[in-house]
Amino acid sequence: MYFIQMFTGLIETMGVIAGVRPGGRSVELCVKPDMDGFEVETGGSVAIDGVCLTLERRDAAGRMFFTAVAETLRRTAFDRVVPGRRVNLERAMRANGRLDGHIVLGHVDAVGRIVGDEDAGVSIVRTIEIPKELSPFMAEKGSVAVDGISLTIAGAGVNTISLSLIPATIGKTTMSAKKAGDAVNIECDVIARYIYRMVTAQVSPKESLVDKMERLGF
């Protein structure tokens, strides 16, 4: 039986980039998880700040080694990664696991940039600038993965989204250390992407997008 590789966007632990070794058009990343017992078999997948990478080997100290290829570097914030950077880590979901976040594939769409934060009492409302081409996949109360974290969109503009960060998210992920100007990895909700593809494909000049959505039962 075939299962697609997926994650939930619920961060298991954080870690640190212990080493970066350029290799032509790729980069080898050495990651040391904070959590003891973060077991992954060689060839298994780990989402590192939301980027799905394959574990190539690990050493006796528990450090894990991955390769980020040119396409990964082009689409993610890993093109500027340096040793000492804190990262979010999540192992791939088991086929019999419980999906508490949302479906996250680890396929980052683009890099966003934090605009600023607004104090909302116990939470923080963080605004992130995103490429305009991602805007159709963002909707208020919808889902988005930011640095691998499953988050609910509090508001969506033309090229920005607002996210309400609760204390658990702030305390258990790298969001606590992020600030205005920092780059973050953005992955759109895959369900929103497929719906958009379905309703925009082959729209006739005489049929509006709304009419087609009604015809398809949305």
Side-chain angles (χ1 to χ4, degrees):
M1 185 177 293
Y2 173 76
F3 294 99
I4 188 170
Q5 194 72 63
M6 59 173 283
F7 305 88
T8 67
L10 300 183
I11 304 305
E12 293 185 84
T13 188
M14 288 184 281
V16 63
I17 301 293
V20 178
R21 187 174 70 177
R25 299 181 63 194
S26 64
V27 170
E28 183 186 69
L29 302 177
C30 173
V31 179
K32 181 67 169 67
D34 291 350
M35 184 178 79
D36 293 333
F38 191 79
E39 298 297 333
V40 182
E41 293 184 4
T42 301
S45 297
V46 178
I48 304 174
D49 269 359
V51 182
C52 179
L53 294 177
T54 300
L55 176 64
E56 296 178 347
R57 70 184 193 280
R58 67 187 308 157
D59 62 18
R63 296 181 302 180
M64 310 168 76
F65 295 83
F66 307 83
T67 296
V69 297
E71 174 68 4
T72 300
L73 299 176
R74 184 178 71 84
R75 286 185 176 268
T76 74
F78 280 170
D79 66 338
R80 66 208 77 179
V81 69
V82 294
R85 170 173 160 178
R86 301 285 290 164
V87 290
N88 299 312
L89 301 175
E90 182 191 355
R91 290 170 289 190
M93 180 181 172
R94 295 182 182 274
N96 63 347
R98 182 174 180 177
L99 180 60
D100 284 335
H102 76 282
I103 298 173
V104 178
L105 301 181
H107 303 161
V108 171
D109 290 290
V111 174
R113 194 165 298 278
I114 297 173
V115 175
D117 294 334
E118 178 184 346
D119 188 352
V122 297
S123 64
I124 294 173
V125 177
R126 174 161 290 173
T127 299
I128 298 177
E129 183 180 29
I130 60 172
K132 290 184 178 179
E133 58 267 26
L134 300 189
S135 294
F137 312 113
M138 305 293 172
E140 186 176 346
K141 307 305 180 184
S143 296
V144 64
V146 179
D147 277 351
I149 308 164
S150 175
L151 295 169
T152 300
I153 300 170
V158 175
N159 67 331
T160 61
I161 54 174
S162 297
L163 310 165
S164 183
L165 305 179
I166 63 174
T169 301
I170 297 170
K172 295 182 179 180
T173 73
T174 58
M175 286 296 104
S176 62
K178 297 287 184 177
K179 61 185 185 302
D182 285 348
V184 290
N185 294 318
I186 303 291
E187 180 185 335
C188 305
D189 183 0
V190 67
I191 296 176
R193 181 176 290 284
Y194 278 117
I195 291 175
Y196 180 82
R197 174 70 175 177
M198 288 172 62
V199 300
T200 55
Q202 300 178 352
V203 176
S204 101
K206 296 181 180 180
E207 182 180 33
S208 71
L209 183 56
V210 173
D211 290 338
K212 180 162 186 180
M213 290 181 71
E214 291 179 348
R215 175 166 60 79
L216 292 173
F218 292 102

